[in-house]
Amino acid sequence: MTNAAGAEAIPAILELFPSLEARLATVDRRELAEATAPVVERLQEPVPEDQRAGLAEAVMGFCRRLFVGARSSEAMPLATALLAQAVLAGDSVLERRASGICGLIAADNADVVGAIGYHARALQIAEAERSPVGVATNWNNIGLAFTTGGSAERAMQCYRRAWAAVESVPGPLHVRYTLGSNLAKELHSLGDIENGLRFGLRALEEEIPAWVAQDPHAAILPRRNLVRLLIASGQLPRARELVDEVAVLATRTTSPRALIAVAITRATYEMSTGSTDIALTRLEEALARARKVPAALHDTLGCLVRAEEAAGHPERALVRLQELSDHFYRFAVERARGQLEFASLLGSPGRVADPLVEQARARLQSHLGAPREPEEWKAYQRLGISAVLRMDNTGWHGLRVGALTKALAIASGAAPLQALEMGLAAELHDIGLASVPEAILGKRGELNAAERSLVERHTEAGAEILRDDGHPRMLLAREIARYHHARWDGSGYPERVGGEFIPFAARLCAVADAYDAMVCGLENRPPMTMSDALGELRREAGGQFDPALVDRFDSMIRDETADLGVDPASVAGLEGFQELVMTLQEDRGFV
């Protein structure tokens, strides 16, 4: 397409979006992709400067419309194409804004690591611009990504950094408005009602009528968060005032997400005043709407569970709870598969490079017959890190387990290339944790039977996400994900497989996984010294673990720590252990 022809096409493109928006409710995924394909193609070529801003605003507006309409995954091709246009044009302001939109879409589709990569890119530009508002906006967005990943501690750190960046900037500021609402929501979930109220009220102080008129959905969310906090603090009259405001806002929007948020807000208040039957009726109507908006179904079902319990219907509450768990499982798997599909189409944008993998790739590809990694491998790695953020704030549990698995495979006599592939495949062993509600993963104390069953399903979810078995590494990864909790004595899950019937790579990973969890203090346990963790492995040899592998692992850890001058009996947690893992990741002549 020549520049002249491209310039002529832009007015037609600008007319396309209003036409699509008018009939978006009847346009399916395939039709939308076909309709926007010319826009994606046009954005790959230079756009005249005098037309770029108008086109960018139209694309970003349509992406927001898809996001609000719970169709954010369909916006990703447009968003990444706009980012490519910004880079092509050398337009740093557009690059910052497009990166932010890509990050929000990625987070909404469970790609937490990809989202953080996009937002970090935007943050660097904002810092170069010396823009406190830009810096705060991107720290806020990174916090939202961590919230999506179930890492409340890291989310709060990001929100507080964002708040500090703009606390003294004269207002009103939209980013402070959004931040106050996000802090209120997170503090409510952490049980800090007093501080949650402080930030929730500050959010409304920042609000101006123009924002409410422009985006009623965005105005509903801070009121929803504040209603929960006011109810928790016993301030029901003030909560009622906000509920009435939410009801008025509902008349100004047709957004499915907004209307569901309104229903949940009103039902939450009705339950607090004893009007449980009214709340149940309202939530049933919201549930019918939420079934068409998968991203909103989780909150709706969770509210219904609480309402049924409050109404004295334990049997119905259990049915809703089962539906909630099934939804969370299906949604996590489908969302992950959708993200992989788009990664394949888009060439895995925003990928996070793993120096170990890149080093191995360069080395191996210089030899005949060297294996190539699966096409979407970087996307799988991002999903794996995103999944484990719910229990490991570093996100590197999978990488550590991969390094330990590779070392144990070598110690067990595996060929170097085979050991490398096993280690890389083991990085994804917990990818299915995305299917487990974060409240269960973060629960203190023992899990009940129902909660344990939800956790155990993560092995099935992992196998489903990794069902593309056209590559040897993917076959290994799928076997490891499914069987890494199988026990040597046959009492594990999911299929009670035992002994040498458990795939060899899964047996290796089981030892490495348990050891990393013990040393790093995962699963709500205090960190152990490396020696104490080895002792635990020996106690479970022949029960949970292959006894021969435990012996080899014990010898390997003791030999490696001796070489490093690390005392395995005196170090707990990541200190020292991290040095060991980095050593095991080094090139050891795999060809």
Side-chain angles (χ1 to χ4, degrees), residues 173-197:
L173 292 179
H174 193 277
V175 66
R176 206 157 46 208
Y177 171 56
T178 305
L179 262 173
S181 179
N182 290 340
L183 279 162
K185 181 182 178 182
E186 204 67 58
L187 288 164
H188 175 266
S189 69
L190 294 171
D192 188 348
I193 306 304
E194 182 180 351
N195 279 315
L197 279 170

PDB file of all heavy atoms in Angstrom, residues 173-197:
ATOM      1  N   LEU A 173      -7.050  14.983  40.106  1.00  0.00           N
ATOM      2  CA  LEU A 173      -6.295  14.148  39.186  1.00  0.00           C
ATOM      3  C   LEU A 173      -7.043  12.839  38.960  1.00  0.00           C
ATOM      4  O   LEU A 173      -7.432  12.171  39.928  1.00  0.00           O
ATOM      5  CB  LEU A 173      -4.910  13.824  39.744  1.00  0.00           C
ATOM      6  CG  LEU A 173      -3.890  14.961  39.865  1.00  0.00           C
ATOM      7  CD1 LEU A 173      -2.611  14.420  40.461  1.00  0.00           C
ATOM      8  CD2 LEU A 173      -3.630  15.586  38.499  1.00  0.00           C
ATOM      9  N   HIS A 174      -7.198  12.466  37.718  1.00  0.00           N
ATOM     10  CA  HIS A 174      -7.909  11.218  37.427  1.00  0.00           C
ATOM     11  C   HIS A 174      -7.142  10.019  37.972  1.00  0.00           C
ATOM     12  O   HIS A 174      -7.739   9.063  38.483  1.00  0.00           O
ATOM     13  CB  HIS A 174      -8.131  11.066  35.921  1.00  0.00           C
ATOM     14  CG  HIS A 174      -9.113   9.992  35.568  1.00  0.00           C
ATOM     15  ND1 HIS A 174      -8.766   8.657  35.485  1.00  0.00           N
ATOM     16  CD2 HIS A 174     -10.449  10.053  35.316  1.00  0.00           C
ATOM     17  CE1 HIS A 174      -9.835   7.947  35.172  1.00  0.00           C
ATOM     18  NE2 HIS A 174     -10.873   8.764  35.069  1.00  0.00           N
ATOM     19  N   VAL A 175      -5.801  10.055  37.884  1.00  0.00           N
ATOM     20  CA  VAL A 175      -5.029   8.917  38.370  1.00  0.00           C
ATOM     21  C   VAL A 175      -5.179   8.775  39.886  1.00  0.00           C
ATOM     22  O   VAL A 175      -5.215   7.656  40.421  1.00  0.00           O
ATOM     23  CB  VAL A 175      -3.542   9.035  37.962  1.00  0.00           C
ATOM     24  CG1 VAL A 175      -2.866  10.219  38.644  1.00  0.00           C
ATOM     25  CG2 VAL A 175      -2.799   7.746  38.284  1.00  0.00           C
ATOM     26  N   ARG A 176      -5.276   9.884  40.612  1.00  0.00           N
ATOM     27  CA  ARG A 176      -5.476   9.799  42.064  1.00  0.00           C
ATOM     28  C   ARG A 176      -6.870   9.275  42.383  1.00  0.00           C
ATOM     29  O   ARG A 176      -7.076   8.569  43.374  1.00  0.00           O
ATOM     30  CB  ARG A 176      -5.245  11.174  42.689  1.00  0.00           C
ATOM     31  CG  ARG A 176      -4.807  11.129  44.142  1.00  0.00           C
ATOM     32  CD  ARG A 176      -4.061  12.375  44.565  1.00  0.00           C
ATOM     33  NE  ARG A 176      -4.706  13.609  44.147  1.00  0.00           N
ATOM     34  CZ  ARG A 176      -4.050  14.735  43.906  1.00  0.00           C
ATOM     35  NH1 ARG A 176      -2.735  14.795  44.039  1.00  0.00           N
ATOM     36  NH2 ARG A 176      -4.697  15.828  43.551  1.00  0.00           N
ATOM     37  N   TYR A 177      -7.823   9.645  41.560  1.00  0.00           N
ATOM     38  CA  TYR A 177      -9.200   9.136  41.663  1.00  0.00           C
ATOM     39  C   TYR A 177      -9.214   7.611  41.526  1.00  0.00           C
ATOM     40  O   TYR A 177      -9.778   6.882  42.356  1.00  0.00           O
ATOM     41  CB  TYR A 177     -10.006   9.813  40.551  1.00  0.00           C
ATOM     42  CG  TYR A 177     -11.409   9.331  40.294  1.00  0.00           C
ATOM     43  CD1 TYR A 177     -12.379   9.301  41.287  1.00  0.00           C
ATOM     44  CD2 TYR A 177     -11.793   8.963  39.000  1.00  0.00           C
ATOM     45  CE1 TYR A 177     -13.679   8.916  41.014  1.00  0.00           C
ATOM     46  CE2 TYR A 177     -13.084   8.583  38.712  1.00  0.00           C
ATOM     47  CZ  TYR A 177     -14.027   8.555  39.721  1.00  0.00           C
ATOM     48  OH  TYR A 177     -15.312   8.187  39.435  1.00  0.00           O
ATOM     49  N   THR A 178      -8.541   7.116  40.488  1.00  0.00           N
ATOM     50  CA  THR A 178      -8.472   5.669  40.255  1.00  0.00           C
ATOM     51  C   THR A 178      -7.677   4.971  41.349  1.00  0.00           C
ATOM     52  O   THR A 178      -8.057   3.905  41.838  1.00  0.00           O
ATOM     53  CB  THR A 178      -7.822   5.397  38.888  1.00  0.00           C
ATOM     54  OG1 THR A 178      -8.546   6.097  37.881  1.00  0.00           O
ATOM     55  CG2 THR A 178      -7.833   3.917  38.570  1.00  0.00           C
ATOM     56  N   LEU A 179      -6.557   5.577  41.727  1.00  0.00           N
ATOM     57  CA  LEU A 179      -5.706   4.989  42.755  1.00  0.00           C
ATOM     58  C   LEU A 179      -6.428   4.854  44.092  1.00  0.00           C
ATOM     59  O   LEU A 179      -6.317   3.828  44.779  1.00  0.00           O
ATOM     60  CB  LEU A 179      -4.469   5.868  42.953  1.00  0.00           C
ATOM     61  CG  LEU A 179      -3.190   5.467  42.249  1.00  0.00           C
ATOM     62  CD1 LEU A 179      -2.153   6.549  42.436  1.00  0.00           C
ATOM     63  CD2 LEU A 179      -2.689   4.130  42.772  1.00  0.00           C
ATOM     64  N   GLY A 180      -7.152   5.903  44.473  1.00  0.00           N
ATOM     65  CA  GLY A 180      -7.889   5.837  45.741  1.00  0.00           C
ATOM     66  C   GLY A 180      -8.862   4.685  45.750  1.00  0.00           C
ATOM     67  O   GLY A 180      -8.995   3.963  46.754  1.00  0.00           O
ATOM     68  N   SER A 181      -9.537   4.475  44.622  1.00  0.00           N
ATOM     69  CA  SER A 181     -10.483   3.361  44.522  1.00  0.00           C
ATOM     70  C   SER A 181      -9.775   2.019  44.606  1.00  0.00           C
ATOM     71  O   SER A 181     -10.230   1.096  45.295  1.00  0.00           O
ATOM     72  CB  SER A 181     -11.257   3.469  43.207  1.00  0.00           C
ATOM     73  OG  SER A 181     -12.171   2.406  43.061  1.00  0.00           O
ATOM     74  N   ASN A 182      -8.634   1.894  43.894  1.00  0.00           N
ATOM     75  CA  ASN A 182      -7.899   0.625  43.918  1.00  0.00           C
ATOM     76  C   ASN A 182      -7.349   0.321  45.312  1.00  0.00           C
ATOM     77  O   ASN A 182      -7.380  -0.829  45.773  1.00  0.00           O
ATOM     78  CB  ASN A 182      -6.755   0.671  42.908  1.00  0.00           C
ATOM     79  CG  ASN A 182      -7.256   0.648  41.485  1.00  0.00           C
ATOM     80  OD1 ASN A 182      -8.382   0.251  41.218  1.00  0.00           O
ATOM     81  ND2 ASN A 182      -6.418   1.086  40.554  1.00  0.00           N
ATOM     82  N   LEU A 183      -6.841   1.336  45.981  1.00  0.00           N
ATOM     83  CA  LEU A 183      -6.333   1.141  47.345  1.00  0.00           C
ATOM     84  C   LEU A 183      -7.464   0.753  48.293  1.00  0.00           C
ATOM     85  O   LEU A 183      -7.299  -0.108  49.164  1.00  0.00           O
ATOM     86  CB  LEU A 183      -5.647   2.416  47.826  1.00  0.00           C
ATOM     87  CG  LEU A 183      -4.210   2.621  47.333  1.00  0.00           C
ATOM     88  CD1 LEU A 183      -3.784   4.073  47.480  1.00  0.00           C
ATOM     89  CD2 LEU A 183      -3.241   1.701  48.091  1.00  0.00           C
ATOM     90  N   ALA A 184      -8.620   1.375  48.114  1.00  0.00           N
ATOM     91  CA  ALA A 184      -9.764   1.037  48.960  1.00  0.00           C
ATOM     92  C   ALA A 184     -10.156  -0.424  48.789  1.00  0.00           C
ATOM     93  O   ALA A 184     -10.417  -1.133  49.763  1.00  0.00           O
ATOM     94  CB  ALA A 184     -10.948   1.945  48.612  1.00  0.00           C
ATOM     95  N   LYS A 185     -10.186  -0.882  47.548  1.00  0.00           N
ATOM     96  CA  LYS A 185     -10.554  -2.275  47.281  1.00  0.00           C
ATOM     97  C   LYS A 185      -9.546  -3.236  47.887  1.00  0.00           C
ATOM     98  O   LYS A 185      -9.917  -4.226  48.533  1.00  0.00           O
ATOM     99  CB  LYS A 185     -10.652  -2.504  45.774  1.00  0.00           C
ATOM    100  CG  LYS A 185     -11.046  -3.924  45.395  1.00  0.00           C
ATOM    101  CD  LYS A 185     -11.089  -4.115  43.884  1.00  0.00           C
ATOM    102  CE  LYS A 185     -11.441  -5.558  43.542  1.00  0.00           C
ATOM    103  NZ  LYS A 185     -11.446  -5.775  42.073  1.00  0.00           N
ATOM    104  N   GLU A 186      -8.251  -2.958  47.682  1.00  0.00           N
ATOM    105  CA  GLU A 186      -7.211  -3.870  48.175  1.00  0.00           C
ATOM    106  C   GLU A 186      -7.185  -3.883  49.697  1.00  0.00           C
ATOM    107  O   GLU A 186      -7.038  -4.946  50.317  1.00  0.00           O
ATOM    108  CB  GLU A 186      -5.858  -3.434  47.619  1.00  0.00           C
ATOM    109  CG  GLU A 186      -4.825  -4.535  47.556  1.00  0.00           C
ATOM    110  CD  GLU A 186      -5.191  -5.616  46.555  1.00  0.00           C
ATOM    111  OE1 GLU A 186      -5.365  -5.308  45.371  1.00  0.00           O
ATOM    112  OE2 GLU A 186      -5.294  -6.784  46.985  1.00  0.00           O
ATOM    113  N   LEU A 187      -7.322  -2.718  50.320  1.00  0.00           N
ATOM    114  CA  LEU A 187      -7.298  -2.653  51.787  1.00  0.00           C
ATOM    115  C   LEU A 187      -8.521  -3.342  52.383  1.00  0.00           C
ATOM    116  O   LEU A 187      -8.423  -3.959  53.461  1.00  0.00           O
ATOM    117  CB  LEU A 187      -7.224  -1.193  52.235  1.00  0.00           C
ATOM    118  CG  LEU A 187      -5.859  -0.520  51.979  1.00  0.00           C
ATOM    119  CD1 LEU A 187      -5.970   0.989  52.067  1.00  0.00           C
ATOM    120  CD2 LEU A 187      -4.810  -1.042  52.963  1.00  0.00           C
ATOM    121  N   HIS A 188      -9.658  -3.275  51.715  1.00  0.00           N
ATOM    122  CA  HIS A 188     -10.836  -4.009  52.188  1.00  0.00           C
ATOM    123  C   HIS A 188     -10.563  -5.508  52.177  1.00  0.00           C
ATOM    124  O   HIS A 188     -10.878  -6.224  53.138  1.00  0.00           O
ATOM    125  CB  HIS A 188     -12.051  -3.688  51.318  1.00  0.00           C
ATOM    126  CG  HIS A 188     -13.277  -4.493  51.669  1.00  0.00           C
ATOM    127  ND1 HIS A 188     -13.594  -5.677  51.025  1.00  0.00           N
ATOM    128  CD2 HIS A 188     -14.244  -4.290  52.604  1.00  0.00           C
ATOM    129  CE1 HIS A 188     -14.703  -6.158  51.552  1.00  0.00           C
ATOM    130  NE2 HIS A 188     -15.118  -5.348  52.505  1.00  0.00           N
ATOM    131  N   SER A 189      -9.939  -5.988  51.108  1.00  0.00           N
ATOM    132  CA  SER A 189      -9.643  -7.431  51.027  1.00  0.00           C
ATOM    133  C   SER A 189      -8.639  -7.848  52.083  1.00  0.00           C
ATOM    134  O   SER A 189      -8.646  -9.002  52.532  1.00  0.00           O
ATOM    135  CB  SER A 189      -9.116  -7.784  49.629  1.00  0.00           C
ATOM    136  OG  SER A 189      -7.836  -7.237  49.413  1.00  0.00           O
ATOM    137  N   LEU A 190      -7.778  -6.908  52.508  1.00  0.00           N
ATOM    138  CA  LEU A 190      -6.783  -7.215  53.539  1.00  0.00           C
ATOM    139  C   LEU A 190      -7.316  -6.976  54.955  1.00  0.00           C
ATOM    140  O   LEU A 190      -6.616  -7.209  55.935  1.00  0.00           O
ATOM    141  CB  LEU A 190      -5.535  -6.357  53.321  1.00  0.00           C
ATOM    142  CG  LEU A 190      -4.740  -6.642  52.029  1.00  0.00           C
ATOM    143  CD1 LEU A 190      -3.661  -5.593  51.823  1.00  0.00           C
ATOM    144  CD2 LEU A 190      -4.128  -8.036  52.077  1.00  0.00           C
ATOM    145  N   GLY A 191      -8.549  -6.475  55.058  1.00  0.00           N
ATOM    146  CA  GLY A 191      -9.161  -6.247  56.367  1.00  0.00           C
ATOM    147  C   GLY A 191      -8.787  -4.940  57.026  1.00  0.00           C
ATOM    148  O   GLY A 191      -9.113  -4.720  58.194  1.00  0.00           O
ATOM    149  N   ASP A 192      -8.107  -4.053  56.302  1.00  0.00           N
ATOM    150  CA  ASP A 192      -7.726  -2.747  56.863  1.00  0.00           C
ATOM    151  C   ASP A 192      -8.826  -1.743  56.514  1.00  0.00           C
ATOM    152  O   ASP A 192      -8.695  -0.938  55.578  1.00  0.00           O
ATOM    153  CB  ASP A 192      -6.374  -2.311  56.288  1.00  0.00           C
ATOM    154  CG  ASP A 192      -5.817  -1.060  56.976  1.00  0.00           C
ATOM    155  OD1 ASP A 192      -6.567  -0.413  57.732  1.00  0.00           O
ATOM    156  OD2 ASP A 192      -4.641  -0.732  56.730  1.00  0.00           O
ATOM    157  N   ILE A 193      -9.914  -1.782  57.259  1.00  0.00           N
ATOM    158  CA  ILE A 193     -11.100  -0.995  56.930  1.00  0.00           C
ATOM    159  C   ILE A 193     -10.844   0.504  57.105  1.00  0.00           C
ATOM    160  O   ILE A 193     -11.256   1.314  56.273  1.00  0.00           O
ATOM    161  CB  ILE A 193     -12.297  -1.436  57.796  1.00  0.00           C
ATOM    162  CG1 ILE A 193     -12.523  -2.947  57.660  1.00  0.00           C
ATOM    163  CG2 ILE A 193     -13.546  -0.673  57.415  1.00  0.00           C
ATOM    164  CD1 ILE A 193     -12.731  -3.435  56.245  1.00  0.00           C
ATOM    165  N   GLU A 194     -10.130   0.881  58.168  1.00  0.00           N
ATOM    166  CA  GLU A 194      -9.910   2.298  58.445  1.00  0.00           C
ATOM    167  C   GLU A 194      -9.166   2.985  57.305  1.00  0.00           C
ATOM    168  O   GLU A 194      -9.594   4.034  56.803  1.00  0.00           O
ATOM    169  CB  GLU A 194      -9.135   2.448  59.755  1.00  0.00           C
ATOM    170  CG  GLU A 194      -8.898   3.900  60.154  1.00  0.00           C
ATOM    171  CD  GLU A 194      -8.133   4.027  61.469  1.00  0.00           C
ATOM    172  OE1 GLU A 194      -7.938   2.991  62.152  1.00  0.00           O
ATOM    173  OE2 GLU A 194      -7.724   5.159  61.801  1.00  0.00           O
ATOM    174  N   ASN A 195      -8.041   2.410  56.881  1.00  0.00           N
ATOM    175  CA  ASN A 195      -7.282   3.019  55.794  1.00  0.00           C
ATOM    176  C   ASN A 195      -8.010   2.878  54.460  1.00  0.00           C
ATOM    177  O   ASN A 195      -7.904   3.749  53.582  1.00  0.00           O
ATOM    178  CB  ASN A 195      -5.887   2.403  55.699  1.00  0.00           C
ATOM    179  CG  ASN A 195      -4.936   3.000  56.719  1.00  0.00           C
ATOM    180  OD1 ASN A 195      -4.884   4.213  56.901  1.00  0.00           O
ATOM    181  ND2 ASN A 195      -4.199   2.149  57.417  1.00  0.00           N
ATOM    182  N   GLY A 196      -8.743   1.784  54.300  1.00  0.00           N
ATOM    183  CA  GLY A 196      -9.532   1.618  53.094  1.00  0.00           C
ATOM    184  C   GLY A 196     -10.548   2.730  52.938  1.00  0.00           C
ATOM    185  O   GLY A 196     -10.734   3.292  51.853  1.00  0.00           O
ATOM    186  N   LEU A 197     -11.216   3.082  54.050  1.00  0.00           N
ATOM    187  CA  LEU A 197     -12.176   4.183  54.028  1.00  0.00           C
ATOM    188  C   LEU A 197     -11.494   5.503  53.676  1.00  0.00           C
ATOM    189  O   LEU A 197     -12.036   6.320  52.912  1.00  0.00           O
ATOM    190  CB  LEU A 197     -12.863   4.304  55.390  1.00  0.00           C
ATOM    191  CG  LEU A 197     -14.018   3.343  55.660  1.00  0.00           C
ATOM    192  CD1 LEU A 197     -14.426   3.404  57.121  1.00  0.00           C
ATOM    193  CD2 LEU A 197     -15.217   3.674  54.762  1.00  0.00           C
TER     194      LEU A 197
END
